[in-house]
Amino acid sequence: MAEPLIVEAALDRPVFQPVLDAFSAEYPQITLDYRDSSSLEADRRARDPEAPPDVVISSAMPWQLALSNEGRAQALDSVEAQHWPAWAKWRNEVFGFTFEPVVMAYRLELASHMLPPTTHRDLLDMLTHDRDWLRGRVVTYSPRDSGVGYTLLQQDARYTSRIWDLVAAMGAADVDLAKSTQEMLEGLSAGRYWLGYNLLGSYAMVWAQNHPDIIVQVPSDYSLVLMRMVFVHRDAPHPEAARRFVDFLLSQRGQHILAGSTPLFSVRDDVIGPYTAQRLRDQVGDHLYPIPVNATLLAFVDPLRRQAFLRRWDRELNILSE
């Protein structure tokens, strides 16, 4: 008898398809209903008491931990869950199963007018000295419309004291704001933008393979690393199928497919492939800063703190352009 499985995911299906295909091949009795949406939409649907999903996947890490903190995730006691690295899980309920660098991306056209940035300081200098060239040609996430964008900006503020100078410089250059990395990449290829900031490297690296006019730059001063977080919903209508799915993502088999057939970068250190956390560390060195999976993330979704942060964003974004 077929067993349904509903996965609510802020993860583009074309990128994740090799993993979904492998899971379906291993569990042909499970009928997978994969629903691709935005991070904020995934969070909303996870809170729907009338139609909860079985599994929730999102790159908006604070929102995933908040859902767990509210009791909407169930603990897993499988071998895979118990042995998952402590730095990549929360209470044996929420698991970070990818390891994705946050990057800049630019058109080759930009390099004919100025030296492309390799650090956050380079970017600030470029926005300051080459503002006329870049006006209207820079794009980044909207922290108000994207949970991922908000998370990344919060983390930037932890690692550089000049983040608000950078935001003000982007505002002075009439930065455009996007809801997704895909939207930024499409704008870069169409020529609307010359430079994108804080893109998800997993998507950008695949895009660049088929769009040679787009260059992906992992910042050399520091690069944030984001993890897709997954959990089994407390009220999952098909809990057994849900647990099998999450276990598959954490298994050596599932992580091997992530490392070899997707750009999402595997977490496990016993997996070999072009996209592994260890290979990324070898390439970038000590400048990778994984977003920590701990209670500090919960503060980011506090309504008062979020409102104050976004008011600062609005103020700094427009401070030089008014």
Side-chain angles (χ1 to χ4, degrees):
M1 179 181 294
E3 186 177 5
L5 172 63
I6 302 168
V7 177
E8 189 67 48
L11 174 51
D12 290 359
R13 182 167 192 143
V15 173
F16 201 42
Q17 193 64 50
V19 178
L20 300 178
D21 290 343
F23 175 79
S24 295
E26 191 158 321
Y27 295 99
Q29 77 277 16
I30 296 177
T31 303
L32 179 60
D33 180 3
Y34 186 82
R35 302 173 181 178
D36 183 6
S37 61
S38 70
S39 56
L40 295 182
E41 180 65 15
D43 181 75
R44 187 189 68 78
R45 291 179 181 175
R47 299 173 185 278
D48 183 353
E50 302 300 321
D54 292 304
V55 174
V56 182
I57 296 173
S58 178
S59 50
M61 297 170 64
W63 276 261
Q64 291 290 80
L65 264 62
L67 287 167
S68 170
N69 207 46
E70 294 166 13
R72 298 180 192 271
Q74 58 177 271
L76 304 185
D77 58 5
S78 66
V79 172
E80 302 292 3
Q82 294 290 338
H83 288 87
W84 198 246
W87 57 267
K89 67 179 177 181
W90 173 258
R91 296 177 177 171
N92 270 7
E93 293 179 359
V94 187
F95 303 86
F97 68 97
T98 69
F99 194 84
E100 302 171 53
V102 178
V103 304
M104 296 183 278
Y106 60 88
R107 289 180 59 83
L108 276 176
E109 187 176 358
L110 177 141
S112 65
H113 296 282
M114 63 198 74
L115 190 65
T118 61
T119 68
H120 293 80
R121 177 56 187 266
D122 290 346
L123 177 59
L124 175 57
D125 289 345
M126 188 177 72
L127 287 167
T128 302
H129 300 302
D130 297 300
R131 184 178 303 154
D132 290 340
W133 278 105
L134 294 171
R135 193 175 302 280
R137 292 169 168 165
V138 179
V139 65
T140 191
Y141 270 111
S142 164
R144 180 169 277 102
D145 298 322
S146 166
V148 179
Y150 174 73
T151 302
L152 297 180
L153 186 65
Q154 283 272 12
Q155 292 298 311
D156 272 332
R158 292 185 61 192
Y159 293 114
T160 174
S161 61
R162 304 202 66 185
I163 184 58
W164 295 116
D165 293 335
L166 179 58
V167 171
M170 287 193 289
D174 296 334
V175 66
D176 207 355
L177 302 178
K179 295 181 180 180
S180 68
T181 289
Q182 183 69 23
E183 184 180 339
M184 289 189 258
L185 291 169
E186 290 174 354
L188 284 165
S189 286
R192 292 196 305 276
Y193 311 127
W194 280 10
L195 175 73
Y197 175 68
N198 268 5
L199 291 78
L200 297 186
S202 52
Y203 295 161
M205 290 173 183
V206 168
W207 186 271
Q209 289 175 3
N210 298 313
H211 299 83
D213 56 326
I214 305 301
I215 306 299
V216 176
Q217 174 68 53
V218 179
S220 60
D221 52 345
Y222 76 88
S223 176
L224 299 175
V225 176
L226 176 143
M227 288 180 281
R228 308 277 172 165
M229 309 296 290
V230 62
F231 68 84
V232 176
H233 201 285
R234 174 196 63 198
D235 301 320
H238 317 102
E240 287 302 318
R243 287 190 281 269
R244 289 194 190 100
F245 183 78
V246 173
D247 265 357
F248 182 78
L249 296 184
L250 307 184
S251 70
Q252 188 177 41
R253 167 75 173 145
Q255 290 279 297
H256 176 74
I257 296 165
L258 277 176
S261 301
T262 81
L264 296 170
F265 289 90
S266 64
V267 171
R268 289 180 65 132
D269 58 10
D270 59 352
V271 169
I272 297 174
Y275 297 104
T276 67
Q278 187 55 55
R279 183 163 182 176
L280 188 62
R281 290 190 185 101
D282 292 342
Q283 291 173 344
V284 180
D286 298 329
H287 304 298
L288 288 177
Y289 289 80
I291 297 174
V293 182
N294 58 35
T296 62
L297 288 179
L298 295 173
F300 294 166
V301 294
D302 175 78
L304 293 178
R305 175 169 176 163
R306 187 166 187 266
Q307 289 169 15
F309 195 86
L310 291 175
R311 281 197 300 270
R312 176 81 185 269
W313 161 266
D314 290 339
R315 185 169 70 251
E316 299 291 351
L317 194 70
N318 295 294
I319 193 169
L320 295 179
S321 57
E322 292 178 345

